[in-house]
Amino acid sequence: MAMETTVPKSLRIGWVAGLVLLLGVITLVMGRAEEQKFIDLFRRSAPQWLVAAALLQSLTYVCAAASWQQSLRRLGQFRSLSSLIPLGLAKLFTDQAVPSAGLSGTILLIHSLERRHISREGALGTVLIELVAYYASYILCVAAALLVLWLHGDLSRSLLIPATALTLLALGVPWLLFWLRRHPGFFLTDRLRHLPWFKSSLETLEAVPAAVLRSPTLMARVIALHAMIFVLDALTLLVMLRAVGTHLPFAQVFACFIMASVVATLLIMPGGLGTFEGTCVAMLHVFGVPLEVGLAATLLLRGFTFWLPMLPGLWLARREMI
């Protein structure tokens, strides 16, 4: 199966819109700050913090691979961690480059696991556990971020609305799929089966042994590994703030990162371009970080989480889909 070489028009439009929005955020912040001061923040970035950021991001791929390894072991199809780590980078690129609520990365994950001689049942089971654990960890992280904002006195309706929307989405879609699986005669089921993503989701549920999802130990481990990825990303933002000479407690940095991720998830743009940066800078400013400092730290973060993994991720994704 070869990866498509043509780029859909909607995707090209999304990339252009995202880049324009990102440039708009940069222009807006630069208009309120001294340009030379902003440039000096990058020049004075301490190299040791940049190395620390690279190490933290490397650990995110290890955690992703470890979560798949846990699921595969439970399904009786163990694979080494080293063979799964490159897949983490390929899936990250696919999810970011093709915004589809994780569907594009899921397709790649299934295909890649089958290339590693994992049975269809094992691949689908791993994907299902992955999706459930990801959204469960996401909800836990959002709840923790809202708690931090509430304790700090900065919990507003503008933050509650997207957080609530994401929570309802994360809870509602899996619940609907499980409910329809138990009620195949429901009149909407036949209509929804015409939707490719719904049909594939139901087929996944039907192919996975029910006992897999009833293993609390497995789910706890995989949820913890996904939560650790969020923590490592937030730590990377903390390190980037240190690199530009600013200190902020981790709890507040974590809240900023999670809320920026929520907005980027709901406002679908390739890699959250513009939406993540704008929200992150605004949230950091709420906690007293100057706009130019917040922008510098956020752009450095995105360099490690989005731009630098782009080329190796593209190469690995193309290799996985061959």
Side-chain angles (χ1 to χ4, degrees):
M1 178 178 177
M3 178 173 284
E4 294 292 335
T5 56
T6 59
V7 180
K9 182 179 179 180
S10 59
L11 183 57
R12 294 198 301 268
I13 293 174
W15 271 93
V16 172
L19 289 171
V20 170
L21 184 56
L22 175 59
L23 290 175
V25 171
I26 296 174
T27 301
L28 180 63
V29 173
M30 293 294 289
R32 300 188 178 187
E34 296 180 11
E35 182 176 349
Q36 189 58 45
K37 183 178 179 180
F38 179 75
I39 295 174
D40 288 341
L41 288 172
F42 286 99
R43 290 177 177 174
R44 295 200 305 267
S45 299
Q48 65 269 26
W49 294 118
L50 301 180
V51 173
L55 292 174
L56 288 169
Q57 284 303 296
S58 298
L59 288 175
T60 63
Y61 304 123
V62 174
C63 287
S67 71
W68 301 328
Q69 187 185 54
Q70 291 288 324
S71 302
L72 290 170
R73 179 186 284 116
R74 180 69 175 77
L75 293 164
Q77 302 190 55
F78 176 80
R79 292 295 183 275
S80 67
L81 198 63
S82 59
S83 68
L84 296 173
I85 288 177
L87 180 53
L89 188 55
K91 185 177 184 298
L92 170 70
F93 165 79
T94 307
D95 282 334
Q96 291 186 332
V98 187
S100 57
L103 180 60
S104 55
T106 298
I107 293 173
L108 179 136
L109 179 58
I110 294 173
H111 181 74
S112 299
L113 290 176
E114 291 179 336
R115 283 184 71 246
R116 289 165 172 77
H117 307 293
I118 302 296
S119 68
R120 183 72 173 178
E121 181 182 276
L124 293 175
T126 300
V127 165
L128 182 58
I129 295 169
E130 159 90 5
L131 290 175
V132 172
Y134 170 76
Y135 282 111
S137 65
Y138 208 163
I139 291 174
L140 291 174
C141 289
V142 170
L146 292 177
L147 177 61
V148 171
L149 291 169
W150 178 70
L151 292 173
H152 196 264
D154 292 305
L155 184 56
S156 64
R157 182 181 299 179
S158 60
L159 296 177
L160 275 175
I161 291 175
T164 302
L166 178 70
T167 301
L168 292 175
L169 179 66
L171 291 174
V173 172
W175 178 86
L176 176 63
L177 290 172
F178 280 105
W179 190 88
L180 289 175
R181 182 193 181 190
R182 294 182 179 181
H183 302 80
F186 188 60
F187 76 97
L188 283 180
T189 305
D190 291 335
R191 297 182 181 181
L192 291 173
R193 280 186 182 274
H194 293 295
L195 300 175
W197 67 269
F198 182 82
K199 181 179 179 181
S200 62
S201 298
L202 278 184
E203 290 174 350
T204 298
L205 285 173
E206 292 166 356
V208 176
V212 172
L213 292 175
R214 294 174 185 168
S215 173
T217 302
L218 171 64
M219 292 306 301
R221 288 176 179 172
V222 180
I223 289 172
L225 286 166
H226 278 279
M228 182 56 64
I229 294 175
F230 285 110
V231 171
L232 289 168
D233 283 336
L235 282 171
T236 305
L237 178 57
L238 176 70
V239 165
M240 294 299 88
L241 286 167
R242 295 287 183 88
V244 295
T246 299
H247 174 75
L248 197 65
F250 174 72
Q252 297 176 9
V253 175
F254 180 80
C256 293
F257 175 83
I258 293 298
M259 295 313 300
S261 299
V262 168
V263 173
T265 300
L266 294 176
L267 302 178
I268 299 178
M269 287 284 185
L273 274 174
T275 56
F276 180 91
E277 289 85 357
T279 307
C280 191
V281 172
M283 290 299 304
L284 289 171
H285 191 59
V286 167
F287 290 110
V289 177
L291 290 174
E292 67 274 10
V293 175
L295 179 61
T298 301
L299 291 179
L300 285 171
L301 168 72
R302 295 288 275 168
F304 282 99
T305 61
F306 182 69
W307 297 109
L308 285 180
M310 186 72 70
L311 285 179
L314 172 61
W315 180 77
L316 288 169
R318 291 180 66 88
R319 189 183 69 171
E320 292 290 342
M321 294 301 290
I322 293 176

